[in-house]
């Protein structure tokens, strides 16, 4: 027989003499082991809950308090608006800036070898930001200069507006 079995057999008489004390000691040891495992499990659950609450707060900040259904609806609306903008045909003699129609032109002279475009007259209906590129047909243009302008109720008209070609539209 194994040695450990002989040791248990010798001590069994001691356990048999005090069974209640042994049972209480055994219950306490089992309870301590189970309590330790349970506390570890609860602490890992608490950490997991904190992480999930943090992620939920981040989502709420990004979605501005909208529910998932409301966010999905808003995304669908924005996609529809984007498709409408992309699919919108542009007028032939119109200048666009930041996706908005800002001017109509008359007398277009495009000089590809010199990468330049001159508009004889450019009637501005919106605001022309001279530091920001504009779009004309399939071209992206940068403002270079002008010969003169006049102000009317309908807006401002620029004479001989000069632009350099910086690229082609990519949409």
């Amino acid at each position: 027989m194994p040695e450990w079995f002989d040791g248990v057999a010798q001590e069994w008489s001691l356990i048999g003499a005090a069974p209640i004390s042994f049972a209480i000691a055994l219950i306490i040891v089992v309870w301590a082991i189970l309590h330790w495992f349970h506390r570890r499990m609860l602490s890992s659950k608490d950490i997991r809950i904190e992480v999930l609450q943090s992620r939920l707060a981040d989502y709420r900040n990004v979605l501005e308090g909208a529910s998932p259904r409301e966010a999905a609806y808003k995304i669908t609306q924005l996609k529809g608006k984007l498709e409408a903008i992309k699919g919108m045909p542009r007028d032939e003699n119109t200048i666009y800036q930041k996706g908005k129609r800002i001017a109509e032109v008359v007398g277009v002279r495009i000089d590809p070898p010199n990468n330049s475009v001159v508009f004889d007259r450019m009637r501005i209906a919106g605001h022309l930001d001279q530091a920001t590129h504009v779009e004309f047909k399939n071209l992206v243009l940068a403002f270079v200069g002008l010969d003169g302008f006049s102000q009317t109720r309908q807006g401002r008209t620029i004479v001989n507006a000069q632009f350099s070609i910086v690229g082609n539209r990519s949409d």
Side-chain angles (χ1 to χ4, degrees):
M1 270 200 246
E3 221 175 278
W4 65 271
F5 189 72
D6 289 336
V8 171
Q10 289 173 358
E11 293 178 10
W12 189 256
S13 61
L14 182 63
I15 293 170
I20 294 176
S21 298
F22 177 73
I24 290 172
L26 185 62
I27 289 171
I28 290 173
V29 169
V30 169
W31 177 84
I33 292 170
L34 291 175
H35 182 70
W36 180 76
F37 278 120
H38 184 68
R39 285 184 59 160
R40 286 200 53 180
M41 186 175 65
L42 285 179
S43 84
S44 70
K45 296 286 184 188
D46 288 342
I47 291 170
R48 179 97 171 118
I49 289 170
E50 288 177 22
V51 168
L52 292 174
Q53 285 176 336
S54 172
R55 287 177 63 190
L56 180 61
D58 290 343
Y59 283 130
R60 284 189 176 143
N61 285 340
V62 169
L63 296 175
E64 299 172 348
S67 71
R69 179 174 286 159
E70 291 168 333
Y73 178 73
K74 190 172 185 177
I75 288 170
T76 303
Q77 280 185 321
L78 291 173
K79 283 182 179 177
K81 287 180 182 178
L82 181 62
E83 288 302 318
I85 290 170
K86 281 184 176 179
M88 186 182 306
R90 293 193 167 195
D91 293 335
E92 189 70 18
N93 291 319
T94 303
I95 302 286
Y96 294 87
Q97 191 171 54
K98 298 178 185 175
K100 295 182 181 176
R101 178 184 178 141
I102 62 159
E104 291 180 9
V105 295
V106 176
V108 179
R109 291 174 287 174
I110 300 174
D111 186 6
N114 292 320
N115 282 335
S116 69
V117 177
V118 176
F119 302 111
D120 293 339
R121 283 195 330 258
M122 183 171 153
R123 192 178 74 204
I124 300 182
H127 172 70
L128 171 64
D129 180 2
Q130 295 177 1
T132 305
H133 294 152
V134 297
E135 297 173 351
F136 174 71
K137 297 184 180 182
N138 67 332
L139 300 174
V140 177
L141 308 173
F143 182 76
V144 174
L146 57 97
D147 284 348
F149 69 92
S150 63
Q151 183 76 34
T152 63
R153 283 189 198 175
Q154 291 81 20
R156 204 169 31 157
T157 300
I158 296 176
V159 179
N160 288 329
Q162 301 148 19
F163 290 84
S164 64
I165 301 171
V166 294
N168 290 319
R169 284 185 36 215
S170 60
D171 58 24

